[in-house]
Amino acid sequence: RGFDPHPVCVEFVCSPYICLAFLCNIIGSGIFISPKGVLEHSGSVGLALIVWVLGGGVSALGSLCYAELGVTIPKSGGDYSYVTEIFGGLTGFLLLWSAVLIMYPTTLAVIALTFSNYVLQPAFPYCAPSYVATRILSTACILLLTWVNCSSVRWATRIQDVFTVGKLLALGLIIVVGLVQLCKGHYEALHPQAAFEFLRPVSVGQVALAFLQASFAFSGWNFLNYVTEEVVEPRRNVPLAIYISIPLVTLVYTLTNIAYFSSMTPEELLASNAVAVTFGEKLLGMFSSIMPISVALSTFGGINGYLFTSSRLCFSGAREGHLPSLLAMIHLKHCTPIPALMLCCTATIVILCIGETHNLINYVSFINYLSYGVTIGGLLYYRWKKPSLYRPIKVNLMVPISYLLFWAFLLGFSLYSEPVVCGVGLVIMLTGVPVYFLGVSWKDKPKCIYDFIASITYMGQKLCFVVFPQIDPLEQANPPQS
């Protein structure tokens, strides 16, 4: 009955199970969102496909680095736990602060908007769904899934299992139909001469933004860090899962984009507000309704999954004393982290009302890459700081160095090309510095502040009916008989 902060509570026996879980976690709704942004910033079909392939390679480098960190520092919380262990409380807090305020809510907002666009697009065949309609439907979806996650962990995991079928069905259908189109000779946009015909002048900064868009679809490559403690023979199975799974994901994403271009011109893809729906309308005829339904199922499951994991990150941060203690409490009966879920829900709805999908992707991907780079930089620092520490997995030094070189290129040119979008995320992250010193580092606060915090916590406990998870209420109510 106790609350488990790990998003996955399964013992993996051998590498095939790890590969399957890894694949299902990475392949998500991002592939239905990012193709338009990648093509828009890369400027040509050929360069867009190169970005997708290289994006998979970069994800593999990052996964190997995280695999070493995961078995060297076996703590829940991912990046946050590693950075806190290596660099100290302030750096860890800044990652946690940006994740709680930016990364998870913005990702949730993007997926919710995609869900709304795909559900509403058939009702708006000649134009984009209205701003108000998409926001209302997105908000309703977020509220519904927050209620589900507050009510039962079992319901939340069942939804995740069932709705995973949606994304696999949609991707499988797109790839198969696309391959049929290619066999019929419909590959005009993929000829080398046409593929590298740029729709507009392209710059290095725009290519960097194309990588940010693609990285959104690959997010989830650090999933193994949540299950390394449950993996049998992690030294063998974790790298093997990475070597098998990420190339397969890259192949699926590349084939999906090739399938799009087998039936749509670049101009048609850029004009579409729901690429998979447009693809289905052109090729599936009377069965075209399968596509928006499948993508809606996929995005619905994606929202549920992010709500599930984001609340666990809040739980880890509160348990370490970096967030209010109320966020480390769970419902007395359902054992669900209701305060953390309500915080995630509120932040997501706020971002829903102020952002546009592709700008939000640049926004969240920039902060994601910033966090990844700091974490992988920590790997190099930890190698220098504790060279004799036992590391079950130890990657070649060129792996983190190559990743960090790409990371510096990506962030530098992204900030140059989109200073406002990327700069706002950076500023929000830095606002965590005074919050850390006032809320965490300052221990001798006046009694009135502690009294105020205690009253808010008590009010939140009564409102949400939550307690700390260390004590099992059933064991208290039914003590063992002597």
Side-chain angles (χ1 to χ4, degrees), residues 28-50:
S29 52
I31 188 57
F32 306 115
I33 306 168
S34 297
K36 179 178 177 179
V38 173
L39 179 61
E40 181 179 357
H41 289 296
S42 61
S44 74
V45 172
L47 188 53
L49 294 176
I50 291 172

Side-chain angles (χ1 to χ4, degrees), residues 115-307:
F115 169 81
S116 301
N117 282 326
Y118 274 91
V119 170
L120 295 172
Q121 189 63 50
F124 295 84
Y126 304 110
C127 62
S130 71
Y131 179 93
V132 175
T134 55
R135 266 58 186 182
I136 290 175
L137 184 56
S138 299
T139 301
C141 179
I142 293 290
L143 290 173
L144 172 63
L145 286 172
T146 300
W147 174 78
V148 169
N149 277 267
C150 288
S151 301
S152 171
V153 173
R154 185 179 297 275
W155 289 3
T157 53
R158 289 291 180 272
I159 285 176
Q160 198 64 23
D161 294 339
V162 171
F163 283 83
T164 296
V165 176
K167 64 185 176 187
L168 299 179
L169 174 63
L171 285 174
L173 188 59
I174 289 170
I175 291 171
V176 169
V177 173
L179 290 176
V180 170
Q181 285 291 102
L182 292 176
C183 292
K184 291 180 178 179
H186 298 289
Y187 43 79
E188 294 82 5
L190 298 170
H191 280 294
Q193 186 175 358
F196 288 95
E197 181 179 336
F198 287 89
L199 304 173
R200 57 173 182 149
V202 67
S203 64
V204 179
Q206 289 299 314
V207 173
L209 292 175
F211 272 105
L212 284 187
Q213 292 283 329
S215 71
F216 183 80
F218 282 100
S219 58
W221 54 258
N222 56 348
F223 157 74
L224 283 178
N225 288 74
Y226 294 99
V227 297
T228 47
E229 294 174 73
E230 286 80 23
V231 175
V232 176
E233 295 185 43
R235 184 175 182 177
R236 171 185 175 274
N237 286 331
V238 171
L240 187 61
I242 293 168
Y243 295 142
I244 295 173
S245 301
I246 291 188
L248 280 176
V249 172
T250 306
L251 178 64
V252 168
Y253 283 180
T254 306
L255 288 176
T256 302
N257 280 272
I258 289 173
Y260 288 148
F261 294 123
S262 71
S263 61
M264 287 184 281
T265 64
E267 292 78 10
E268 286 177 321
L269 192 147
L270 291 174
S272 173
N273 197 51
V275 179
V277 170
T278 305
F279 178 87
E281 288 173 347
K282 294 194 70 172
L283 296 181
L284 298 181
M286 60 183 294
F287 299 105
S288 61
S289 59
I290 294 174
M291 196 56 65
I293 293 172
S294 298
V295 178
L297 293 175
S298 170
T299 49
F300 192 80
I303 296 167
N304 179 73
Y306 268 96
L307 275 172

Side-chain angles (χ1 to χ4, degrees), residues 56-133:
V58 172
S59 299
L61 294 178
S63 295
L64 290 170
C65 295
Y66 269 58
E68 176 178 327
L69 286 169
V71 296
T72 306
I73 308 172
K75 293 183 176 181
S76 62
D79 314 52
Y80 162 67
S81 296
Y82 309 147
V83 170
T84 302
E85 173 74 20
I86 297 169
F87 293 121
L90 175 58
T91 311
F93 177 81
L94 290 180
L95 256 67
L96 178 68
W97 179 257
S98 61
V100 171
L101 290 186
I102 301 175
M103 287 190 287
Y104 277 111
T106 306
T107 302
L108 278 164
V110 170
I111 300 175
L113 287 171
T114 305
F115 169 81
S116 301
N117 282 326
Y118 274 91
V119 170
L120 295 172
Q121 189 63 50
F124 295 84
Y126 304 110
C127 62
S130 71
Y131 179 93
V132 175

Side-chain angles (χ1 to χ4, degrees), residues 363-412:
Y363 182 54
V364 70
S365 297
F366 179 84
I367 297 301
N368 265 332
Y369 260 103
L370 188 60
S371 301
Y372 299 153
V374 171
T375 306
I376 292 173
L379 181 149
L380 293 176
Y381 177 72
Y382 215 50
R383 287 272 192 100
W384 173 78
K385 183 180 177 184
K386 296 188 176 181
S388 58
L389 184 68
Y390 174 64
R391 294 171 170 84
I393 297 173
K394 191 172 184 179
V395 299
N396 188 288
L397 272 178
M398 287 307 299
V399 174
I401 290 172
S402 300
Y403 186 92
L404 288 174
L405 288 174
F406 177 82
W407 172 80
F409 152 79
L410 188 68
L411 263 63

